[in-house]
Amino acid sequence: MTDTAAAPAADWQPTACILCSLNCGIEVRVDDRRIASVRGDRANPRSHGYACEKAQRLDHYQNGRDRLTGPLRRAADGTLEAVGWDTAIREIAERLGAVRDQHGGASIFYYGGGGQANHLGGAYGSATRAAFGVRYMSNALAQEKTGEFWVDGQLFGRSRCHTTPDFERAEVAVFVGKNPWESHGFPRSRVVLKEIAKDPARSLVVIDPRRTKTAALADFHLQVRPGTDAFCLAALLAVLVQEELLDEDFLAEHAGEGERLLGVLRDIPVDDYAGRCGVGEDLIRATARRLAGAGSVAVLEDLGIQQAPHSTLNSYLEKLLFLLTGNFGRAGTMNIHSGIASLGGDFRKDRETPVSGARIITGLIPSNAIADEILTDDPGRLRAMIVESSNPVHSIADSPRMREALERLDLLVVFDVALTETARMADYVLPSPSQYEKWEASFFCLEFPRNAFQLRRPIMGPPPGSDLLPEPEIHRRLVRATGVLDDVDIDGLRDLAARSRAEFGGALFALVGERPELRPHLPVIVYETLGATLPDGAAAAAALWLNAHGVAQMMGDSVRRAGIEGEGFALGEALFERILTSHSGLVFTDDAYPETFARLAHPDKRVRLTIPELVDELEGLREERQGPADPDFPLVLSAGERRSGTANTIFRDPAWRKQDREGALRVHPHDAGHIGLADGARARLTTRRGSAEVVVEVHDGLQPGHISLPNGLGLSYPSEDGTQGVCGVAPNDLTSSDERDWFAGTPHHKHVPARLEAA
């Protein structure tokens, strides 16, 4: 069973950009399997025709020279050889089963579950994990968002209570460690930023050590010293408390347990903290007063504080900015959005990893702890790994150590489109069609009040002569190879699905009620049954039937406000049908603002302001003193800056970058002059973990002592003659897995001690 039937040829075909979490709707023209033209899709309910310049380069992904054409197996001589699907699936199932039987399913690790906008396959991963007893997992979110998710859980009662900003209606927009002009993060970002900047009644606040394109538009740019965001945020909050600028009515009605927090903020010496973060006290006070006096404030944090010192504390303090000023649950402020699926992992009882004791948040092991769980003689160590649509060798801190860890495994299985750095190390490589050759979707549905979702149909078939399977089919075959579904009446359920989905749903949920061990296998069961009845080869969309009914059951009023009619089972069916037929996407929930308070998961529906662990850390800031820089590593490197000319590593072909092909290291003119470097010079960049030769760009948007490398480079890619080359520097060849947040384990990629010398 496959689901890669291409859509009929058309002049313009709707799909989505896959280069960041926004996944803007686009329309494309296809010419001889090439994406020849791209434009924004005006019918898309999120982006409304907006698309940035990066989408114009999508053919570099679609027709990359390192695309895989068939499954591969590690041969006895160490090379990768072609192998048939039946053999690969059988051998993988046997080897995973042997690891499970000898060492337990907890020794098998799952990483990934989908890259950007490549999420349908991940929806089927639960079945494979259950079939082999997999207990531990992680993905890219554990490098960025788990600290924020944990803070959400403490404040709002559940980590899935994720807030989203309403910048289009906000009087004041605040960006903390975020440059949305180049990294986006909310729909139509550049349009909205320009609207705010030109309106004298509105204000833009940016907290960032760099003078970015977003900061250049700002009314208030708090240009902190790298790594001191916590001091700046704490000072802002202290002004709100000490000058009695809090929204007392909001706090009395909607928040509690704030006494200890407010007491700590009341004692903070604002002038001292201003000096530590390098921002003038007058600017901090003016900013706090602007936030307190605004009719609405929306705030967005990102990697600049999530991958820096005090990252989990930073996320807490950022959220207190909008909570203490009452900017929650209203238009133009912060609200808790709906969702089509969970962004976290498995919510199991495990709270720590078995070997290193790292904290597990939303079911995800910190990425920096993965090698620790492998490179040990502990009997509970990880021994096998399944990697789906991810490239941890390149994306996780300390790439050399990650390679060492993967070499130690008994078995490594990789699902991917291209022969990535991780795939090159695998025992088996299972190739899938590109995102434009199969049914796909993104589960990044983060908007309020109108939240949107897009199921994308294929706009072309796989390359001629290739032997590829979409990820749902790979998961189905692996699960089938274990025999766990052999006694399930698939034929009978399929016949019911073809005749009546109501009867099918009744029979399916009765089966799971009698046999709860089948629950994690539901995606594969509906794929084999309902999926077979869906039109145009859309079997992969079958898992969304479960999501549609879940959303309809939990958020029925919001679904009906979105224009989808029905009650009970009929509402879920109507939503699923709308998902299948809305090729440019659809609004699936339209929330009323009181929904934000209804979604609070604490029993009293109130925010808990004090998080004891983080208030302890906040108190400890007073005693924290920054000593002199290490003379061997006097600079601070931000590893992985997002720029207009960089994207996620789905773009492996360096030819897509028309400028700055090697990804220059940005250096302040003072440092460049001191070292003796001119624009375009080559230099040697060294950290405690590694060294690389870089091209220098002299850039006055940084502060002295702060240097920056872009993301998405240093990838192996074949030239036209087939020889492998690497363009630019892989940032994680220079980062350390030991440098991580004490609480969530997120890496300090934005604060790496470094030195720079003329090459």
Side-chain angles (χ1 to χ4, degrees):
M1 180 186 298
T2 63
D3 60 354
T4 54
D11 192 22
W12 288 97
Q13 300 184 58
T15 183
C17 178
I18 55 177
L19 297 177
C20 81
S21 63
L22 266 294
N23 307 128
C24 295
I26 57 175
E27 293 181 299
V28 302
R29 276 178 166 159
V30 177
D31 181 12
D32 191 25
R33 302 201 75 260
R34 305 201 75 86
I35 297 176
S37 304
V38 178
R39 69 185 185 189
D41 183 0
R42 295 181 182 275
N44 185 279
R46 292 182 73 203
S47 52
H48 303 286
Y50 176 92
C52 78
E53 69 277 9
K54 296 182 185 181
Q56 299 296 327
R57 307 285 186 262
L58 280 168
D59 195 65
H60 288 279
Y61 158 74
Q62 170 58 32
N63 289 295
R65 284 192 290 270
D66 55 357
R67 284 284 308 273
L68 294 163
T69 57
L72 302 172
R73 174 180 61 185
R74 184 73 54 190
D77 63 1
T79 62
L80 287 169
E81 63 181 4
V83 65
W85 278 104
D86 291 345
T87 299
I89 295 294
R90 184 186 71 252
E91 291 180 359
I92 291 168
E94 289 173 351
R95 293 182 64 178
L96 286 172
V99 173
R100 175 200 59 205
D101 295 344
Q102 184 174 357
H103 303 288
S107 67
I108 305 173
F109 185 61
Y110 177 86
Y111 188 89
Q116 294 283 20
N118 188 55
H119 293 159
L120 273 186
Y124 294 86
S126 65
T128 295
R129 295 196 298 273
F132 294 101
V134 176
R135 193 175 186 90
Y136 299 108
M137 65 175 294
S138 194
N139 58 42
L141 291 174
Q143 295 213 83
E144 307 166 0
K145 306 297 182 186
T146 44
E148 182 187 5
F149 290 168
W150 187 83
V151 170
D152 287 338
Q154 306 308 300
L155 291 173
F156 309 128
R158 189 174 62 171
S159 293
R160 297 180 187 180
C161 293
H162 185 259
T163 54
T164 193
D166 182 7
F167 290 125
E168 292 200 7
R169 300 170 185 83
E171 180 181 332
V172 177
V174 183
F175 299 101
V176 189
K178 176 71 177 174
N179 175 21
W181 187 271
E182 293 177 314
S183 64
H184 306 288
F186 59 95
R188 303 170 58 250
S189 56
R190 294 178 182 175
V191 173
V192 174
L193 287 172
K194 288 189 286 188
E195 289 175 349
I196 296 172
K198 72 182 182 181
D199 188 339
R202 304 172 76 186
S203 295
L204 182 61
V205 177
V206 173
I207 302 175
D208 198 312
R210 302 165 300 149
R211 192 175 70 253
T212 63
K213 291 184 178 180
T214 305
L217 296 172
D219 303 277
F220 302 83
H221 179 202
L222 285 65
Q223 193 170 10
V224 296
R225 293 192 182 102
T228 64
D229 306 271
F231 291 95
C232 182
L233 292 165
L236 286 167
L237 293 166
V239 173
L240 294 174
V241 173
Q242 294 167 16
E243 296 190 7
E244 299 183 349
L245 300 174
L246 306 183
D247 187 332
E248 299 289 358
D249 291 340
F250 171 85
L251 295 176
E253 183 176 359
H254 296 297
E257 300 183 10
E259 294 80 5
R260 183 184 171 209
L261 167 69
L262 297 180
V264 171
L265 293 173
R266 196 170 290 114
D267 291 338
I268 283 176
V270 175
D271 57 344
D272 178 43
Y273 280 31
R276 295 203 214 181
C277 69
V279 179
E281 181 182 354
D282 289 346
L283 178 56
I284 286 177
R285 291 189 181 277
T287 303
R289 292 164 187 159
R290 181 68 178 102
L291 297 178
S296 57
V297 177
V299 187
L300 185 61
E301 65 172 78
D302 207 359
L303 305 189
I305 63 168
Q306 293 169 344
Q307 295 186 337
H310 300 293
S311 64
T312 304
L313 175 63
N314 289 335
S315 292
Y316 178 41
L317 300 179
E318 172 265 319
K319 295 179 192 306
L320 291 174
L321 283 179
F322 64 77
L323 289 171
L324 295 186
T325 54
N327 286 288
F328 186 71
R330 296 185 287 111
T333 68
M334 306 297 292
N335 289 274
I336 298 175
H337 59 81
S338 63
I340 202 80
S342 169
L343 291 179
D346 291 341
F347 290 77
R348 300 184 184 274
K349 295 180 180 179
D350 301 279
R351 291 293 179 264
E352 294 182 348
T353 59
V355 175
S356 66
R359 183 176 280 104
I360 298 174
I361 299 174
T362 64
L364 302 177
I365 285 181
S367 298
N368 278 24
I370 293 172
D372 298 339
E373 301 296 317
I374 299 171
L375 295 173
T376 173
D377 293 328
D378 190 290
R381 72 178 180 88
L382 300 176
R383 298 172 184 271
M385 193 165 170
I386 303 168
V387 177
E388 181 177 349
S389 301
S390 298
N391 187 9
V393 165
H394 186 273
S395 63
I396 291 179
D398 199 340
S399 292
R401 189 163 186 259
M402 197 65 209
R403 291 188 186 94
E404 180 187 356
L406 297 189
E407 288 172 351
R408 178 82 183 278
L409 292 170
D410 298 342
L411 178 65
L412 174 61
V413 179
V414 172
F415 302 17
D416 218 313
V417 174
L419 195 59
T420 66
E421 287 68 24
T422 304
R424 290 178 180 279
M425 299 188 67
D427 297 291
Y428 294 87
V429 184
L430 304 182
S432 59
S434 81
Q435 296 199 43
Y436 297 109
E437 298 164 357
K438 62 187 176 186
W439 288 87
E440 254 306 345
S442 168
F443 292 158
F444 293 140
C445 307
L446 310 176
E447 306 310 315
F448 189 102
R450 292 168 61 82
N451 209 352
F453 177 75
Q454 183 180 12
L455 171 68
R456 313 189 308 272
R457 62 181 298 151
I459 60 175
M460 66 183 79
S466 62
D467 187 13
L468 312 176
L469 292 177
E471 295 91 340
E473 177 66 15
I474 298 173
H475 283 297
R476 183 194 78 84
R477 294 189 185 196
L478 284 170
V479 170
R480 274 290 170 192
T482 68
V484 296
L485 297 181
D486 286 354
D487 61 347
V488 176
D489 182 10
I490 295 296
D491 291 339
L493 288 170
R494 187 183 300 117
D495 290 343
L496 281 177
R499 183 170 71 242
S500 165
R501 286 196 197 153
E503 293 182 43
F504 167 73
L508 179 65
F509 293 119
L511 173 66
V512 174
E514 296 169 3
R515 298 181 57 187
E517 74 276 8
L518 292 177
R519 183 172 297 277
H521 299 295
L522 273 175
V524 165
I525 294 173
V526 297
Y527 176 81
E528 291 193 333
T529 54
L530 175 64
T533 72
L534 297 180
D536 302 322
L544 296 174
W545 180 81
L546 299 168
N547 297 86
H549 280 278
V551 170
Q553 182 178 5
M554 293 185 291
M555 309 173 198
D557 289 342
S558 295
V559 173
R560 282 184 284 270
R561 276 193 295 268
I564 301 165
E565 298 180 354
E567 298 289 339
F569 186 85
L571 181 62
E573 283 300 303
L575 175 56
F576 181 60
E577 284 299 324
R578 189 75 65 86
I579 288 172
L580 286 177
T581 56
S582 301
H583 300 310
S584 290
L586 76 155
V587 173
F588 67 95
T589 54
D590 189 347
D591 285 319
Y593 286 96
E595 288 290 345
T596 285
F597 298 103
R599 287 175 183 153
L600 291 172
H602 291 303
D604 60 359
K605 301 298 181 183
R606 289 163 62 84
V607 177
R608 302 284 192 270
L609 290 175
T610 295
I611 302 177
E613 298 91 334
L614 299 183
V615 174
D616 288 345
E617 186 178 355
L618 176 62
E619 281 190 299
L621 291 181
R622 295 193 66 163
E623 305 304 320
E624 185 176 306
R625 289 287 182 261
Q626 184 176 3
D630 183 339
D632 291 330
F633 302 99
L635 304 175
V636 173
L637 167 67
S638 287
E641 178 191 4
R642 292 164 169 171
R643 301 178 184 171
S644 292
T646 66
N648 60 49
T649 57
I650 204 165
F651 265 0
R652 300 182 59 81
D653 182 354
W656 86 274
R657 292 190 300 280
K658 301 302 181 184
Q659 298 177 334
D660 190 23
R661 186 180 175 93
E662 291 189 59
L665 177 79
R666 289 179 173 169
V667 183
H668 187 272
H670 174 272
D671 297 319
H674 178 72
I675 299 168
L677 297 171
D679 207 48
R682 304 197 76 84
R684 172 61 55 179
L685 173 63
T686 304
T687 69
R688 291 168 180 153
R689 189 62 187 97
S691 181
E693 186 174 295
V694 296
V695 175
V696 168
E697 176 189 349
V698 180
H699 194 282
D700 64 3
L702 298 169
Q703 299 179 51
H706 188 201
I707 57 179
S708 179
L709 266 179
N711 70 320
L713 279 79
L715 298 161
S716 173
Y717 191 79
S719 62
E720 291 187 6
D721 64 7
T723 58
Q724 291 291 325
V726 175
C727 186
V729 176
N732 283 315
D733 283 344
L734 304 173
T735 59
S736 169
S737 59
D738 294 332
E739 295 296 323
R740 62 181 97 167
D741 183 63
W742 73 275
F743 191 87
T746 43
H748 290 171
H749 288 339
K750 309 304 180 188
H751 201 269
V752 181
R755 70 171 178 267
L756 190 63
E757 303 155 294

